[in-house]
Amino acid sequence: MGLTLYSCYLFFIVILLASVCYSQDSFVSSRATYYGSPECIGTPTGACGYKEYGSIMNGGEVTGVSYKLFRGGAGCGACYQVRCKYPPHCSEDGTRVVATDHGEGDNTDFILSTRAYNKLARPGQAEILFSYGVVDVEYKRIPCQYPGYNLVFKVHEHSKYPKYLALIAVYQGGVSEITGVELWQEDCKEWRCMRRTYGAVWDMQNPPEGAIDLRFQVSGSKWIELKSLIPSDWKVGATYDTAVQLD
């Protein structure tokens, strides 16, 4: 099931061409709707693969994004400022959300958690916005901020030690995107390409034995190498701190 070195780098080139990795100075017009949950937070079954973390990250102010923003999973973890355009009902700042899922409604780019949708409104005006169901909005990409947290790689729940390893990046700050992940194969003296299996999840059949060196590519350019990041006895659900944070 492995990829050839050629297909690995071809994959990175495709991701690079599809990436839009920058904070925006100007807002883009769009539409937004919302989905409900008993706690007004996100869903633990989102297309990005964050599982339960995806429902509570950013205080539950999360969103599903359209195909053009999801970009095959490359847009997972991106942060946006979204504000509606119906004064006097709309707050000036709107909401700041993290993309954790893929979904589209009535020509919408955002399906906001109830908590995030509520932040679009001025105090006492939320009920009016909820009655609309879909509202005109404007949005821009902004840096993600996780004070006190480094970027970590979590061993995804689908992993099966020692033959199948799936990883997902958590607390990914800034506006940079992870466009490739590779593991060092000591016996072959080469880097092996992990596959973006879905959303923000990267996987590999028959991962290297022993402590694993990992490197990841940032926005299709530089590589960041991490020695022995994944221990030889890695466990499902465990998180491994990279001691770095993206810009």
Side-chain angles (χ1 to χ4, degrees), residues 70-124:
F70 186 72
R71 301 195 321 283
C76 289
C79 294
Y80 297 92
Q81 181 183 358
V82 183
R83 60 191 188 191
C84 65
K85 300 165 67 176
Y86 292 155
H89 310 309
C90 300
S91 65
E92 183 175 343
D93 290 335
T95 182
R96 290 169 170 80
V97 292
V98 181
T100 61
D101 200 358
H102 168 242
E104 301 189 43
D106 182 11
N107 294 316
T108 63
D109 279 317
F110 298 93
I111 301 182
L112 302 169
S113 65
T114 307
R115 186 169 297 180
Y117 193 88
N118 186 74
K119 287 288 189 70
L120 296 178
R122 292 181 182 274

Side-chain angles (χ1 to χ4, degrees), residues 35 41-46 48-58 60-63 98-101 113 154:
Y35 62 90
I41 55 179
T43 172
T45 58
C48 288
Y50 292 118
K51 297 294 184 179
E52 195 62 40
Y53 171 67
S55 67
I56 61 174
M57 63 192 302
N58 196 43
E61 292 182 52
V62 297
T63 185
V98 181
T100 61
D101 200 358
S113 65
K154 179 181 179 181

Side-chain angles (χ1 to χ4, degrees), residues 10-21 71 177 179 219-220:
L10 178 60
F11 173 78
F12 292 153
I13 292 171
V14 171
I15 291 295
L16 172 59
L17 292 176
S19 294
V20 180
C21 308
R71 301 195 321 283
E177 294 173 352
T179 57
S219 300

Side-chain angles (χ1 to χ4, degrees), residues 11-201:
F11 173 78
F12 292 153
I13 292 171
V14 171
I15 291 295
L16 172 59
L17 292 176
S19 294
V20 180
C21 308
Y22 52 84
S23 56
Q24 298 168 266
D25 293 327
S26 59
F27 283 86
V28 178
S29 294
S30 185
R31 286 159 63 82
T33 185
Y34 66 93
Y35 62 90
S37 71
E39 299 82 16
C40 298
I41 55 179
T43 172
T45 58
C48 288
Y50 292 118
K51 297 294 184 179
E52 195 62 40
Y53 171 67
S55 67
I56 61 174
M57 63 192 302
N58 196 43
E61 292 182 52
V62 297
T63 185
V65 292
S66 63
Y67 176 80
K68 73 178 183 182
L69 297 180
F70 186 72
R71 301 195 321 283
C76 289
C79 294
Y80 297 92
Q81 181 183 358
V82 183
R83 60 191 188 191
C84 65
K85 300 165 67 176
Y86 292 155
H89 310 309
C90 300
S91 65
E92 183 175 343
D93 290 335
T95 182
R96 290 169 170 80
V97 292
V98 181
T100 61
D101 200 358
H102 168 242
E104 301 189 43
D106 182 11
N107 294 316
T108 63
D109 279 317
F110 298 93
I111 301 182
L112 302 169
S113 65
T114 307
R115 186 169 297 180
Y117 193 88
N118 186 74
K119 287 288 189 70
L120 296 178
R122 292 181 182 274
Q125 301 293 303
E127 186 174 344
I128 297 174
L129 292 188
F130 279 108
S131 70
Y132 291 140
V134 179
V135 293
D136 292 328
V137 299
E138 55 185 13
Y139 73 90
K140 67 178 180 179
R141 178 81 182 269
I142 59 174
C144 296
Q145 297 180 339
Y146 299 103
Y149 291 92
N150 294 322
L151 173 73
V152 303
F153 278 93
K154 179 181 179 181
V155 179
H156 198 266
E157 287 81 354
H158 291 168
S159 300
K160 296 184 183 300
Y161 182 85
K163 296 298 185 181
Y164 175 72
L165 176 62
L167 299 171
I168 187 166
V170 180
Y171 300 122
Q172 183 177 326
V175 294
S176 297
E177 294 173 352
I178 295 175
T179 57
V181 181
E182 295 183 346
L183 305 182
W184 178 252
Q185 187 75 42
E186 178 62 27
D187 55 353
C188 299
K189 303 297 182 182
E190 67 178 15
W191 289 99
R192 291 178 57 196
C193 174
M194 298 192 81
R195 175 187 65 159
R196 186 192 290 276
T197 179
Y198 74 95
V201 180

Side-chain angles (χ1 to χ4, degrees), residues 214-227:
L214 177 149
R215 70 176 186 177
F216 61 93
Q217 191 179 40
V218 179
S219 300
S221 56
K222 67 179 180 178
W223 288 88
I224 298 175
E225 185 174 332
L226 304 164
K227 294 288 188 179

